Amino acid sequence: MKGTTPAGVSTEQEASRWVRDMFGRIAPRYDLANHVLSLNLDRRWRAKTVQRVSHILRRPGARALDLCCGTGDLLLALQAQSVESVLGSDFCHPMLTAAAAKIAHRGFRCPLFEADALALPLQDGSLDLITVAFGFRNLADYQAGLAEMRRVLKPEGVTAILEFSQPGDTAFGKLYGFYSRKVLPLIGGVLSGSRDAYSYLPESIEKFPSAEELAARMLAVGFRDVDFLRMTGGTVALHLGTK
Ligand SMILES: C[S@@+](CC[C@H](N)C(=O)[O-])C[C@H]1O[C@@H](n2cnc3c(N)ncnc32)[C@H](O)[C@@H]1O
């Protein structure tokens, strides 16, 4: 498996288009569904991510990009701690439109650009930090995604990948499995108006590499000091790596 494989999709191009169209459909209700389905824990996961990279954000001249920024929640949290303007990118126009409105509302100046994470319009070695929250799992090719992130980082640049993970075969894991397979698609479908988006979510999480495997893949593309932190019983993991 190179990357995400939504049901009924057979090529990388189709997977990429399926993901973009799906996020385009749910963009207006994405934030509400996110906060409700995660019981607001998504804010805490993003806050932890910001905390882990804040030493870079405080550095004068630091260039940071929030990849797959969606409606901008991590981008805003990063910007609140940053001395420089944080960039945001995503390949789904309606998500970027929602992010732009939130950035303007907060009075921030975060440049946004529309781009596929697998082909960023950035020079080699141009960033000090790349973050990606709940976007990496949706890439059509994980290896290519990691290599592209590494390409645009400066030497000593850091990447932080916040992503869903599998809690393992514990009592909590079983309860979470029931919630994500049965409850989440129902509530997510009602809140977002798109049942397939919230059936895709648990499927894509189950197919996604374990935290150990993602760490191994980061090392394989050349990141060093690779480490991960599990949160909320292992349902989410924050991976860090340095170029
Ligand atoms: C689950 S949302 C996460 C948004 C945001 N980072 C957050 O924490 O709420 C995933 C985002 O990744 C974007 N995305 C998925 N695949 C992408 C790709 N190949 N290139 C750029 N953006 C992508 C989607 O358009 C969507 O906005």
Side-chain angles (χ1 to χ4, degrees):
M1 176 193 53
K2 283 184 125 185
T4 191
T5 49
V9 153
S10 50
T11 67
E12 270 178 48
Q13 286 76 10
E14 278 174 27
S16 182
R17 198 175 323 119
W18 190 96
V19 166
R20 193 170 54 235
D21 291 351
M22 181 270 285
F23 280 110
R25 285 197 299 280
I26 65 170
R29 315 293 304 275
Y30 172 81
D31 285 344
L32 173 69
N34 225 358
H35 300 323
V36 171
L37 293 171
S38 75
L39 311 174
N40 250 337
L41 286 166
D42 61 314
R43 296 182 202 274
R44 206 183 289 178
W45 299 327
R46 292 192 191 87
K48 182 56 110 180
T49 306
V50 176
Q51 188 193 329
R52 285 296 178 108
V53 299
S54 61
H55 61 289
I56 303 172
L57 297 169
R58 283 196 298 268
R59 224 183 270 159
R63 293 195 70 205
L65 166 68
D66 185 36
L67 197 61
C68 302
C69 68
T71 61
D73 278 1
L74 180 59
L75 179 59
L76 293 171
L78 292 162
Q79 187 60 68
Q81 300 295 319
S82 181
V83 292
E84 308 291 346
S85 291
V86 180
L87 305 168
S89 74
D90 200 287
F91 73 172
C92 176
H93 193 79
M95 294 294 261
L96 285 176
T97 304
K102 286 159 73 177
I103 292 164
H105 183 73
R106 289 280 293 271
F108 289 152
R109 296 163 75 95
C110 303
L112 298 176
F113 59 95
E114 198 168 323
D116 192 318
L118 301 183
L120 292 169
L122 296 172
Q123 290 185 348
D124 295 1
S126 49
L127 300 172
D128 297 276
L129 172 68
I130 298 182
T131 57
V132 51
F134 309 112
F136 186 82
R137 188 187 70 260
N138 301 295
L139 301 186
D141 185 335
Y142 299 141
Q143 179 90 2
L146 289 172
E148 184 65 348
M149 286 192 252
R150 190 173 177 280
R151 179 186 72 77
V152 297
L153 280 173
K154 296 177 188 171
E156 301 300 320
V158 167
T159 190
I161 303 174
L162 178 66
E163 195 46 89
F164 290 111
S165 197
Q166 304 87 1
D169 195 17
T170 59
F172 174 74
K174 288 195 176 72
L175 192 66
Y176 174 75
F178 175 77
Y179 171 74
S180 67
R181 273 192 295 270
K182 304 286 180 206
V183 181
L184 193 145
L186 272 178
I187 303 177
V190 170
L191 291 177
S192 70
S194 172
R195 182 78 194 260
D196 62 345
Y198 287 89
S199 302
Y200 164 75
L201 180 61
E203 278 166 29
S204 64
I205 295 170
E206 278 172 29
K207 290 183 199 163
F208 190 62
S210 66
E212 289 83 358
E213 197 183 331
L214 179 54
R217 290 184 183 214
M218 291 174 74
L219 287 167
V221 301
F223 283 103
R224 63 171 172 77
D225 299 336
V226 171
D227 200 6
F228 61 85
L229 168 76
R230 295 187 209 270
M231 292 183 266
T232 316
T235 54
V236 167
L238 171 63
H239 285 74
L240 292 162
T242 302
K243 176 167 174 179

